[in-house]
Amino acid sequence: MINQLITKIKETGAPIVVGLDPMLKFVPEHITKRAYAELGETLEGAGEAVWQYNKTIVDNIYDVVPAVKPQIAMYEQFGIPGLAAFKKTVDYCKQKGLVVIGDIKRGDIGSTSEAYAVGHLGRVRVGSNSYYGFDEDFATVNPYLGSDGVNPFIKVCKEEKKGLFILVKTSNPSSGEFQDRLVKAQAAEQDAGQGGLPDRPLYEIVGEQVARWGEEHMGDSYSYIGAVVGATYPEMGRILRKIMPKNYILVPGYGAQGGKGKDLVHFFNEDGLGAIVNSSRGIIAAYQQEKYASFGPEHFGEASREAVLDMRKDIADALNSR
């Protein structure tokens, strides 16, 4: 699947993933009114509104981006109807030729981790049959529980030729409370005669482990085991790019969270590949921004497309000027 993602990035010239993170405050009134008229002001009505909102956005961007990233919490809040909208969104995006990154951030162990992996990336056995659950192409994974939590996902990825993005350094302001904590050299390093090594931040240690997982699970030129590194920390991105040269980096934090094209240069390799940048509300709610207000709520999908094209130019200009 990493090979397919890279091919799509090259075809579109857009190392961009659109975060399909719908909240009802983003959905134009004409959509919610129609959904509520049909199904009432219910969870079912909300699920229908979210689905119709997503569909219009996808119809306007599918040919100019390689991938989308639905965040499952935005659907889970509406219960079973929300999860139905999530599944319809995943299926529709794949029909349109988009790579789907399921932003699920799962992190558990044993049979629980196996069930998460099967449910989102693999096939579940039902008697003599097997079925895909949500069937995303990639999933995001929290590595805090160690390899016991990650290995079940890697196993399913090998079977299904899919991929992962493992959290390494996230874009939120409080990420440093744990991720930046300095860690002493491990006993194995001391035993190897490397005593006196300086303390290092935890995110570097996690990045090194992701690189090791990646080396064992390669596509043609990049691993199908990738990393999440926030755009809001460009200097850390520079360090992690060196630590993980063959791991694709999913970069959240562009736009609404403050990241700009010039902040992204160090996330890419010299081949212009190696990173894919996420923007969520900066694209899906573009019509609510002053810059795109002229489109109006009735043409919110067209505003989203224009925001994608502006983002593509911003990133291209930054990469060309380095």
Side-chain angles (χ1 to χ4, degrees):
M1 186 53 63
I2 189 62
N3 297 336
Q4 181 178 332
L5 177 61
I6 292 170
T7 297
K8 294 285 292 183
I9 289 172
K10 290 177 178 178
E11 288 175 353
T12 59
I16 294 169
V17 54
V18 175
L20 296 177
D21 303 353
M23 300 181 70
L24 287 180
K25 66 182 180 181
F26 297 157
V27 181
E29 186 178 8
H30 69 276
I31 291 181
T32 55
K33 286 180 67 174
R34 189 164 61 240
Y36 295 163
E38 178 184 352
L39 298 167
E41 293 184 353
T42 61
L43 294 176
E44 288 76 13
E48 176 64 15
V50 162
W51 155 240
Q52 293 297 337
Y53 175 65
N54 284 350
K55 183 177 183 298
T56 299
I57 290 171
V58 171
D59 285 343
N60 279 273
I61 65 168
Y62 74 92
D63 60 329
V64 291
V65 296
V68 293
K69 183 175 69 64
Q71 164 42 256
I72 197 166
M74 300 303 177
Y75 303 83
E76 287 177 340
Q77 65 183 323
F78 302 117
I80 300 303
L83 287 176
F86 179 87
K87 174 59 174 169
K88 287 167 74 173
T89 297
V90 170
D91 289 348
Y92 189 69
C93 290
K94 294 181 78 167
Q95 289 172 21
K96 288 290 191 177
L98 291 162
V99 174
V100 178
I101 301 171
D103 194 356
I104 62 173
K105 295 186 178 71
R106 297 300 192 240
D108 215 305
I109 61 172
S111 59
T112 307
S113 187
E114 291 172 8
Y116 279 141
V118 167
H120 285 277
L121 299 174
R123 288 172 286 188
V124 63
R125 296 291 303 182
V126 181
S128 59
N129 301 314
S130 65
Y131 301 94
Y132 284 105
F134 291 111
D135 196 23
E136 300 103 297
D137 299 310
F138 288 81
T140 57
V141 177
N142 190 328
Y144 194 72
L145 275 70
S147 57
D148 290 335
V150 176
N151 284 337
F153 278 90
I154 292 177
K155 178 177 182 293
V156 172
C157 285
K158 290 175 67 175
E159 294 169 352
E160 298 292 338
K161 295 181 170 53
K162 295 187 176 182
L164 301 178
F165 287 102
I166 298 172
L167 304 184
V168 175
K169 176 59 183 173
T170 56
S171 59
N172 57 300
S174 66
S175 66
E177 292 176 5
F178 296 114
Q179 296 167 19
D180 296 359
R181 287 292 182 98
L182 297 180
V183 179
K184 292 187 178 297
Q186 296 186 14
E189 293 173 324
Q190 301 285 5
D191 293 343
Q194 300 179 52
L197 289 173
D199 295 347
R200 302 171 63 208
L202 179 60
Y203 68 79
E204 288 190 18
I205 308 300
V206 177
E208 289 178 348
Q209 180 59 50
V210 171
R212 285 192 286 270
W213 280 321
E215 289 172 357
E216 298 171 3
H217 305 95
M218 290 294 297
D220 291 342
S221 55
Y222 284 89
S223 174
Y224 57 82
I225 308 299
V228 177
V229 182
T232 46
Y233 301 104
E235 288 307 311
M236 296 175 184
R238 183 202 298 267
I239 294 168
L240 288 165
R241 178 73 282 168
K242 293 179 180 178
I243 290 173
M244 304 180 294
K246 293 298 181 182
N247 301 88
Y248 238 80
I249 297 178
L250 171 60
V251 187
Y254 179 91
Q257 292 187 51
K260 305 294 182 185
K262 61 183 176 58
D263 301 323
L264 305 174
V265 173
H266 304 308
F267 292 90
F268 291 84
N269 284 317
E270 291 301 319
D271 59 6
L273 300 172
I276 185 165
V277 184
N278 177 77
S279 179
S280 298
R281 61 186 179 273
I283 291 175
I284 67 173
Y287 79 99
Q288 295 182 344
Q289 302 173 36
E290 182 178 355
K291 183 176 182 181
Y292 306 105
S294 61
F295 286 93
E298 291 288 339
H299 299 283
F300 70 95
E302 295 166 48
S304 295
R305 183 183 181 88
E306 191 68 18
V308 167
L309 297 177
D310 287 345
M311 180 178 174
R312 182 173 69 178
K313 183 177 185 304
D314 183 37
I315 294 172
D317 289 348
L319 292 176
N320 290 334
S321 66
R322 65 178 178 177

